[in-house]
Amino acid sequence: MSTILVIEDEADLARLLDYNLQQAGLRAVLANTGAAGLAQAAREKPDLVILDIMLPDTSGLEVCRALRSRTLTKDVPILMLTAKGEEIDRVLGFELGADDYVVKPFSMRELVLRVRALLGRSVRATPAAETGPLKLGCIEVDRTAHRVVIDGREVTLTALEFRLLTTLMERAGRVLSRDQLLEDVWDITADVETRTVDTHVKRLREKLGAARDYLETLRGVGYRMRDPAGSA
Ligand code: CA
């Protein structure tokens, strides 16, 4: 059974999360301060952390940074609970590297779907065929080392952006609809906001720098990774 660490000081919301995660067959561990959360993370080795941005003793952003800097939790999927839209860029960005976020108020159904998606990704075994290096134009991906090099420069991606990039690269030249990407990258088949895809594609494209133009938007259809060699 997967253990979910919930770091949230609002007691009512923490209880609601606890209840809904249990209903979903997951084990929840609660912490109501950043310090308690970090202590629980070391003790429980959670499979995923749900982290509120506003905590009484410290910011959720600091807790996220601390989790990422520790060997034990550097790869744990982190789902941030945010109140303000403007912090999302920092949350998902290079600086902090949370894997996903939901904006309060959110539905418990959506939250559980996001949790399942993140768990599915980290638990899923990687078949041998999916571990070889990928190369497209100036983008080089080492899937085993989880490294992305663009134009000779290493780029740091979140777990979700990495999966989005490799999914697009594996099927370079083909158009992937938002629904397909939700299914393959997020493991979500239910009717979830497809805008999530747009947000993450936008962030990924910013990080691609010199290779940003490879990632094409087909209005009303989806996205496509252009093969710069093949289409020349
Ligand atoms: Ca809070």
Side-chain angles (χ1 to χ4, degrees):
M1 187 186 284
S2 298
T3 297
I4 315 297
L5 171 58
V6 178
I7 309 177
E8 166 61 85
D9 61 307
E10 288 163 56
D12 288 346
L13 180 54
R15 262 197 298 274
L16 201 58
L17 286 165
D18 184 22
Y19 174 79
N20 280 278
L21 291 168
Q22 277 188 46
Q23 291 295 103
L26 302 161
R27 171 174 173 260
V29 176
L30 306 181
N32 58 10
T33 64
L38 288 173
Q40 289 277 46
R43 198 161 43 234
E44 299 280 348
K45 301 186 188 75
D47 299 289
L48 182 141
V49 178
I50 295 176
L51 175 58
D52 186 34
I53 218 162
M54 300 283 282
L55 295 167
D57 58 334
T58 177
S59 153
L61 301 177
E62 289 306 319
V63 177
C64 185
R65 203 191 310 276
L67 288 169
R68 283 285 175 259
S69 70
R70 295 175 180 191
T71 317
L72 204 64
T73 51
K74 71 175 167 50
D75 295 321
V76 72
I78 299 175
L79 174 67
M80 300 285 301
L81 307 181
T82 71
K84 288 173 281 176
E86 62 263 33
E87 277 169 333
I88 288 164
D89 279 359
R90 282 194 70 202
V91 165
L92 293 179
F94 164 75
E95 194 184 349
L96 292 159
D99 294 279
D100 203 359
Y101 68 93
V102 291
V103 178
K104 292 180 182 179
F106 50 84
S107 79
M108 283 295 151
R109 181 176 163 273
E110 177 169 7
L111 182 112
V112 169
L113 282 171
R114 301 283 188 95
V115 166
R116 284 230 169 94
L118 289 170
L119 284 174
R121 263 205 312 283
S122 57
V123 166
R124 181 190 325 191
T126 316
E130 282 186 14
T131 58
L134 280 172
K135 193 167 171 5
L136 186 80
C138 64
I139 311 176
E140 287 170 67
V141 178
D142 180 341
R143 283 181 283 195
T144 318
H146 214 275
R147 261 181 102 229
V148 177
V149 174
I150 293 172
D151 239 1
R153 193 174 59 91
E154 182 158 4
V155 177
T156 308
L157 301 181
T158 66
L160 198 139
E161 288 163 351
F162 187 84
R163 191 158 170 78
L164 180 56
L165 177 65
T166 53
T167 300
L168 285 161
M169 285 179 73
E170 280 159 5
R171 281 169 268 177
R174 284 172 51 188
V175 182
L176 299 174
S177 69
R178 290 172 177 79
D179 287 339
Q180 256 174 303
L181 285 169
L182 277 174
E183 195 173 326
D184 296 348
V185 179
W186 279 259
D187 284 342
I188 289 172
T189 47
D191 188 22
V192 171
E193 259 200 286
T194 49
R195 255 185 46 210
T196 305
V197 178
D198 300 339
T199 308
H200 283 85
V201 165
K202 183 165 169 276
R203 289 211 53 80
L204 175 62
R205 191 179 274 137
E206 280 166 15
K207 290 189 181 180
L208 290 180
R212 67 168 59 207
D213 293 338
Y214 296 3
L215 183 37
E216 300 175 316
T217 303
L218 289 104
R219 218 172 276 279
V221 183
Y223 295 98
R224 175 174 61 197
M225 197 59 120
R226 186 168 60 87
D227 185 340
S231 62

